Amino acid sequence: AAATNAPSPSPSGADLAGHTESTARAGMAMSKTSSHREADAETSAFVKQESTPADPKSNINTNNTNMASGFTKKSDPRKTSRVPAGQFERVARFAGLGLGMAMGTVGQLMREVGSGSVGKGGVKGLVLNEANSDRLTMALCRMRGAALKLGQLLSIQDEHVIPKDSPLRQVIDRVREEAEQMPPQQLYPTLEASLGRDWRSKFRDFDDEPMAAASIGQVHRAVTHDGMQVAVKIQYPGVADSIDSDIANLGTFVGPFAPRGLFLSTALEELRNSMKMETDYRLEAELTEKMRGLLADDAGLRVPRVQWELSSDRVLATELLPGVPFDQVSEMSQEVRDHVARSMLRLTLRELFEFHLMQTDPNWSNFLYDAETGTLNLIDFGATMTYSHDMCYQYAHLVKAAVDKDRQTLLDVSLQMGFLTGEETPEFLAAHVVAPGSQTRAGFNLGGALAQPSCS
């Protein structure tokens, strides 16, 4: 939406970056209790899984040395399962899941009739019984792609959206922790198709055991011939080609269990658009290099170099940067937390008001703090979005309304930008500017922090 009357220029990142210290302290304090703390790590988390027998033909490198990302790889390899690659195969998996859950529901109903406890858990409790929860969790973990991505995105929703005692919450929490890796029979052909039959000769060392397995692909540690440690992200086969059908099937399965406040249809459409961007690794490589250039003048922020000769549309190799995920900083000293929060807020302001380009994946592990150098290392730019000048201009006015404690302007600009429709109840409008579960006005609290003399 275009701004209508804009008498003053948009505040620049440099102008707003000075108003950071109080907000930085508040932001880091809130981060200690944020539900985002438990988000799945797209490229850096190491989740202990039950092991499956190793393929003796896979030539797996058993070197379990410390990764440059700051993690030590678990000694037990994660679960391995084949990724359903064809669209027909994926649809068949969803159909099999539906049949299994229907039978599980009937079985649960019969057990409740026999015990005289029919209806105590409601319809959702009847369908998402323990056996069906296991079926759904296993299916999402093994499908990967949009199915697993949705589970991971839902897992970071606030408890006001998906309550802790919700049957759906129990499923998505498990989905977040149980991503499985693809077997060598799929890994090696994917590398061969992308980098050639001699793909292994292009590395001095390649660790066949992944550092991380997530929704779209898995990440392996490797070393180039010139000694650089790199993270090699390898996309699961079939994921990019089945986004539309996966989204449609997910709407069918998850829709009946989604809370009203989740706006599932909107979330699924956003997921569709995001997935199509994130599965284009060449685009991600270009965005990574673009962001690296934009932040070249900021010594406190670092973006990895892309290894173009080791990358393709399904494989992306980048410099492996050290550090621990952003959420772990909350356990460090106040001085470190203030420093990291200032860096993060400075990055946000520059992205919005200077670059009009922002990395939008809300994953703590995309931001790594390197305690040795004090830098914030940024990774994973697959969800980087470009915003129009008009949008960023209006958002600057939204921030200014918070600084000025101007409630009406805050609501007016929110309406212009589409955050509100104009049909909201007075209670909804009040909730728009009031933090859930408190009597403090979140927007005005932010404005107060930015308006402190020490931050001007």
Side-chain angles (χ1 to χ4, degrees):
T4 50
N5 297 315
S8 59
S10 170
S12 68
D15 293 334
L16 291 173
H19 303 297
T20 59
E21 186 161 1
S22 295
T23 305
R25 289 179 181 272
M28 287 309 296
M30 288 189 292
S31 77
K32 298 184 73 173
T33 56
S34 170
S35 60
H36 289 80
R37 178 181 177 86
E38 299 178 346
D40 175 80
E42 182 75 25
T43 57
S44 300
F46 296 89
V47 182
K48 187 174 183 178
Q49 303 288 348
E50 294 179 12
S51 62
T52 54
D55 183 348
K57 299 180 181 179
S58 66
N59 190 30
I60 291 180
N61 182 348
T62 58
N63 177 18
N64 287 340
T65 56
N66 186 46
M67 298 299 162
S69 60
F71 289 89
T72 301
K73 189 168 57 178
K74 298 292 185 182
S75 58
D76 293 336
R78 65 185 68 245
K79 291 180 181 178
T80 299
S81 64
R82 184 181 182 278
V83 182
Q87 186 169 330
F88 176 79
E89 184 180 1
R90 296 181 72 84
V91 171
R93 290 283 186 97
F94 275 111
L97 172 62
L99 178 60
M101 292 187 67
M103 294 176 63
T105 301
V106 172
Q108 179 67 18
L109 178 60
M110 293 177 65
R111 285 189 292 273
E112 291 186 4
V113 169
S115 64
S117 59
V118 178
K120 286 188 177 181
V123 175
K124 293 182 180 179
L126 181 66
V127 177
L128 279 183
N129 55 69
E130 184 177 352
N132 275 352
S133 294
D134 288 340
R135 288 187 180 95
L136 183 56
T137 300
M138 184 175 296
L140 294 181
C141 289
R142 293 183 173 178
M143 289 289 289
R144 281 79 147 193
L148 184 56
K149 187 74 170 180
L150 178 63
Q152 293 170 352
L153 291 177
L154 291 178
S155 74
I156 65 174
Q157 296 300 311
D158 189 89
E159 291 179 11
H160 294 278
V161 178
I162 304 179
K164 182 178 292 187
D165 59 354
S166 164
L168 181 60
R169 167 67 67 181
Q170 298 171 24
V171 171
I172 61 180
D173 283 349
R174 289 179 57 193
V175 167
R176 183 190 64 240
E177 298 177 356
E178 297 184 17
E180 299 181 2
Q181 70 184 55
M182 61 179 157
Q185 293 81 358
Q186 287 184 307
L187 171 65
Y188 300 145
T190 301
L191 285 165
E192 186 174 312
S194 297
L195 304 180
R197 298 189 64 178
D198 62 340
W199 65 267
R200 195 180 286 274
S201 67
K202 297 181 179 181
F203 301 94
R204 179 200 293 179
D205 179 57
F206 181 89
D207 193 344
D208 297 71
E209 184 71 20
M211 303 164 52
S215 56
I216 297 174
Q218 59 192 46
V219 184
H220 292 251
R221 171 193 169 275
V223 181
T224 63
H225 287 290
D226 61 3
M228 175 184 289
Q229 292 195 74
V230 294
V232 184
K233 185 159 61 172
I234 304 161
Q235 192 171 128
Y236 298 130
V239 166
D241 299 326
S242 59
I243 294 173
D244 290 331
S245 62
D246 278 4
I247 295 294
N249 287 314
L250 283 170
T252 300
F253 278 96
V254 181
F257 311 106
R260 293 178 58 187
L262 184 60
F263 301 104
L264 183 64
S265 59
T266 301
L268 288 175
E269 187 58 33
E270 289 296 324
L271 178 61
R272 183 199 313 275
N273 297 333
S274 175
M275 286 283 293
K276 289 187 175 181
M277 284 186 60
E278 292 185 56
T279 51
D280 186 346
Y281 283 1
R282 289 194 184 278
L283 175 61
E284 181 178 347
E286 293 171 1
L287 291 169
T288 301
E289 285 295 305
K290 183 172 183 178
M291 192 66 78
R292 177 177 168 81
L294 290 171
L295 292 172
D297 62 346
D298 193 324
L301 300 169
R302 184 180 174 190
V303 177
R305 288 171 286 176
V306 173
Q307 302 299 299
W308 291 99
E309 69 281 4
L310 300 173
S311 301
S312 70
D313 56 345
R314 295 292 182 263
V315 174
L316 176 60
T318 59
E319 178 183 9
L320 188 61
L321 298 181
V324 297
F326 188 56
D327 64 324
Q328 294 187 25
V329 175
S330 64
E331 305 300 327
M332 299 181 184
S333 70
Q334 185 66 53
E335 181 181 4
V336 170
R337 287 154 53 194
D338 290 348
H339 167 71
V340 173
R342 280 192 293 267
S343 297
M344 194 66 185
L345 188 54
R346 183 174 71 251
L347 170 66
T348 302
L349 295 174
R350 294 195 71 187
E351 284 181 328
L352 272 177
F353 303 123
E354 184 179 342
F355 307 153
H356 299 174
L357 184 74
M358 174 169 277
Q359 201 279 56
T360 64
D361 189 343
N363 188 332
W364 288 134
S365 294
N366 291 338
F367 309 92
L368 305 174
Y369 174 63
D370 182 358
E372 186 174 336
T373 62
T375 59
L376 194 61
N377 295 332
L378 316 176
I379 61 175
D380 199 344
F381 292 88
T384 302
M385 301 290 292
T386 300
Y387 295 99
S388 69
H389 177 273
D390 288 337
M391 181 274 175
C392 295
Y393 185 93
Q394 284 187 301
Y395 203 86
H397 278 271
L398 198 65
V399 174
K400 187 175 187 299
V403 172
D404 295 340
K405 298 185 178 182
D406 186 342
R407 182 180 188 276
Q408 190 57 49
T409 298
L410 192 70
L411 293 174
D412 290 344
V413 177
S414 295
L415 180 62
Q416 294 170 18
M417 297 186 70
F419 294 137
L420 300 174
T421 66
E423 300 178 359
E424 289 80 9
T425 64
E427 292 77 14
F428 191 101
L429 294 178
H432 185 66
V433 294
V434 176
S438 76
Q439 299 301 315
T440 57
R441 298 180 178 181
F444 293 166
N445 277 353
L446 171 63
L450 293 176
Q452 291 292 326
S454 60
C455 298
S456 61

